[in-house]
Amino acid sequence: MRHWVRRVLCLAAVISVAVSVTVLWPAGEQHNSGQNSKGVVEVHVPERRLERNHAENKQVVADPTPFREEHANLGVVKIKRKPKEEEEKAAVPVSSLPSVVRSGPPAWPLWQQWFASDQLYPSAPLQSQDMRNLMQDMATRPILAAKVGFRGTQLKMLLTLEGGQVVVFKPKRFDRDFTITGDTFSGFDRHNAEIAGFHLDGLLGFHRAPPVVGRVVNLRTEVLPVAEKKLKDTFYDRGSDVCFYGVCMYCKRELAACAKHGMMEGSVTLWLANSPKLKTWRHPYQRTYKAQRKAPWEVNEQYCQKSVLPQALFHKGPRLLDIMDATVMDYIMGNADRHHYETIAQYGNDGRLLLMDNAKSFGNAYTDDASILAPLRQCCRLRRSTWQLVQEFQAGARDGSSLSKRLEASMRLDPVSPILYHTHLKAVDRRLETLVEAVDSCITHEGEDVVLGAD
């Protein structure tokens, strides 16, 4: 009898230990998951790698451009990860932009009339009927021709729409909740980042990003019949899917974009190559994109004072403040890839910096790359109207009209909405707070009259 009692007590003790271990170490949690006991995501900078998209159970090859090690003082901020069940909740707003072809002629002539020295369009995204007509035409007008994209590192197509307007089509590469790891500029271009960048540009009052809209195209019936041979030769079938890899620096068959049953989602950007004529400039805060060689601004905090401000281009005129505007927008989006920029050539040095090519934005909602803020932190200059608007957005976060909510509302009208996963929207407001702190620090040390410039 005693022997039987001892067995029962031993069994109870084993069960108790097992339950305790289960509570302290939940099933599926790995000791080396990269997340410490406080829920802080550890950020690593791996070399070239294969990333697995858990949502589609497929491998996505990271952009093979060289990675860059973070400077000790310009690293990424570790952000506490929210519970998994909260991350998986995503709103699905309903699109209200018509999905049918408008009657009457396309709105392209109107677009040509909008160009000015300081803007590409006169109103915030989708707030005017003219803008709605333009974007509806971009999303629905028949495709008359398809060519390989212009030079660059990323896959794209040039489409000619009814009425002769050329647009740039960038295909969907990732699901909305996919996180790009490694360097901030890693990974393929994100089509939804192009769309979000356009809406953010309008909300910030810059109006210097070309209009972008989401569109779903049938590669078999809309593109292949009108594609030039150079582009058509890069198409192939994979079962019931259609894939293409185009022509670019890193374009090859193993990095192709594939459309389920031939239907491909992407972004459509109005093409600015020929009218108006553009001039390309090297950004003074360009990166080297090489781990073994850092740019001057990464190792010298006096870089702006010694190498930027003395230049006539930045000493007078709008260019320096335009770069600061771009810094504001890039930091909020997480865009670390603005190595060059364009202006409208006919306006010379007074031409405003255009906020084109925003597809490397919104890659990782859990990291804030402080190196993007280097121009603002080192130069301590900002346009007064931009600062006032940033402060308004900060105040709006307290009464329910935060920048993220306004951005979400603006993007809700896009045909491929939702555009951003909710974690990226939260990152927008978080980064705005850091931006405010950086400007406040500049004003404290140098004074408002020095830091804030007139429009």
Side-chain angles (χ1 to χ4, degrees):
M1 185 67 163
R2 293 177 181 175
H3 181 68
W4 181 82
V5 171
R6 282 198 299 269
R7 284 186 176 183
V8 172
L9 292 176
C10 290
L11 180 60
V14 170
I15 294 174
S16 176
V17 171
V19 171
S20 299
V21 170
T22 302
V23 172
L24 295 174
W25 199 307
E29 180 177 353
Q30 300 298 319
H31 184 63
N32 59 349
S33 64
Q35 186 170 337
N36 65 23
S37 60
K38 295 181 180 180
V40 176
V41 178
E42 300 292 340
V43 181
H44 304 285
V45 186
E47 296 190 27
R48 302 178 185 179
R49 64 210 175 281
L50 288 177
E51 298 174 338
R52 179 165 296 279
N53 187 331
H54 59 82
E56 297 183 356
N57 193 28
K58 66 182 180 182
Q59 286 185 333
V60 181
V61 183
D63 184 358
T65 49
F67 72 97
R68 183 184 65 79
E69 294 176 344
E70 292 292 346
H71 182 53
N73 295 323
L74 301 176
V76 291
V77 179
K78 297 175 182 178
I79 305 301
K80 291 184 178 180
R81 188 185 293 276
K82 298 296 184 181
K84 183 178 180 180
E85 59 271 17
E86 182 178 338
E87 291 186 358
E88 291 178 346
K89 291 188 298 183
V92 184
V94 179
S95 169
S96 62
L97 193 66
S99 58
V100 297
V101 179
R102 258 186 343 107
S103 61
W108 316 137
L110 180 65
W111 156 243
Q112 298 292 330
Q113 296 171 13
W114 283 347
F115 303 135
S117 62
D118 61 343
Q119 62 184 21
L120 292 180
Y121 59 94
S123 61
L126 301 181
Q127 288 187 359
S128 71
Q129 189 59 49
D130 286 340
M131 180 60 79
R132 293 174 67 91
N133 289 343
L134 177 69
M135 297 185 72
Q136 183 179 348
D137 287 345
M138 293 168 62
T140 60
R141 291 288 174 175
I143 300 171
L144 304 183
K147 298 181 179 181
V148 298
F150 53 93
R151 64 185 179 87
T153 64
Q154 301 289 314
L155 174 61
K156 61 186 82 68
M157 290 189 290
L158 288 180
L159 306 178
T160 301
L161 304 183
E162 181 184 58
Q165 178 64 51
V166 177
V167 296
V168 180
F169 179 86
K170 292 188 177 182
K172 175 184 177 181
R173 290 289 203 166
F174 307 107
D175 282 346
R176 302 293 196 266
D177 63 346
F178 188 84
T179 295
I180 303 295
T181 58
D183 291 304
T184 315
F185 47 79
S186 296
F188 294 118
D189 276 0
R190 276 80 75 181
H191 77 296
N192 59 318
E194 287 282 19
I195 300 170
F198 166 58
H199 287 263
L200 181 61
D201 166 75
L203 290 173
L204 291 173
F206 300 152
H207 302 168
R208 284 181 265 133
V212 186
V213 68
R215 178 167 179 164
V216 178
V217 299
N218 188 318
L219 295 182
R220 285 196 176 95
T221 63
E222 293 185 86
V223 175
L224 275 170
V226 297
E228 64 173 355
K229 185 178 185 303
K230 190 176 182 181
L231 175 62
K232 189 179 296 185
D233 287 345
T234 72
F235 278 73
Y236 63 93
D237 289 333
R238 190 185 67 181
S240 62
D241 298 339
V242 179
C243 305
F244 81 103
Y245 52 92
V247 179
C248 69
M249 183 179 296
Y250 297 121
C251 288
K252 45 189 174 182
R253 189 182 178 95
E254 54 266 37
L255 299 180
C258 296
K260 191 172 184 179
H261 303 302
M263 302 301 295
M264 176 164 281
E265 178 181 314
S267 64
V268 172
T269 305
L270 281 180
W271 180 232
L272 287 170
N274 298 318
S275 57
K277 185 177 180 181
L278 303 182
K279 181 176 180 179
T280 300
W281 308 73
R282 186 182 69 84
H283 198 293
Y285 280 80
Q286 182 182 28
R287 299 168 186 272
T288 66
Y289 297 92
K290 296 181 180 179
Q292 67 275 18
R293 182 165 62 88
K294 297 186 182 299
W297 60 268
E298 293 179 280
V299 295
N300 181 8
E301 283 295 307
Q302 298 301 312
Y303 171 78
C304 182
Q305 300 297 326
K306 295 181 178 180
S307 302
V308 178
L309 293 181
Q311 297 183 43
L313 179 63
F314 304 119
H315 187 64
K316 60 180 180 180
R319 192 63 53 83
L320 179 65
L321 295 180
D322 282 354
I323 287 178
M324 298 305 139
D325 282 347
T327 299
V328 168
M329 180 167 159
D330 286 340
Y331 183 69
I332 292 173
M333 297 190 300
N335 178 24
D337 196 45
R338 202 172 294 283
H339 44 80
H340 288 80
Y341 62 88
E342 286 76 30
T343 62
I344 297 179
Q346 72 184 76
Y347 299 114
N349 289 351
D350 291 329
R352 305 297 290 275
L353 186 156
L354 302 181
L355 295 163
M356 302 170 62
D357 196 7
N358 301 304
K360 286 296 181 73
S361 308
F362 297 110
N364 192 329
Y366 305 108
T367 62
D368 301 335
D369 190 344
S371 71
I372 303 173
L373 276 180
L376 178 59
R377 190 187 63 254
Q378 292 183 359
C379 298
C380 273
R381 299 292 187 275
L382 188 63
R383 190 168 270 116
R384 186 176 293 274
S385 60
T386 301
W387 176 231
Q388 291 172 343
L389 193 56
V390 166
Q391 289 179 304
E392 290 177 12
F393 285 130
Q394 183 192 35
R398 295 189 286 269
D399 61 18
S401 58
S402 64
L403 176 57
S404 66
K405 288 190 178 298
R406 297 188 196 184
L407 179 60
E408 183 180 28
S410 182
M411 296 186 299
R412 189 174 293 134
L413 301 175
D414 191 273
V416 300
S417 178
I419 304 303
L420 292 179
Y421 197 54
H422 71 99
T423 53
H424 287 292
L425 292 169
K426 292 180 180 179
V428 164
D429 292 333
R430 184 182 69 238
R431 292 166 186 159
L432 185 75
E433 289 297 323
T434 303
L435 179 66
V436 170
E437 292 174 3
V439 180
D440 279 338
S441 177
C442 283
I443 292 176
T444 298
H445 288 91
E446 299 198 22
E448 184 173 310
D449 292 339
V450 174
V451 174
L452 301 182
D455 292 353

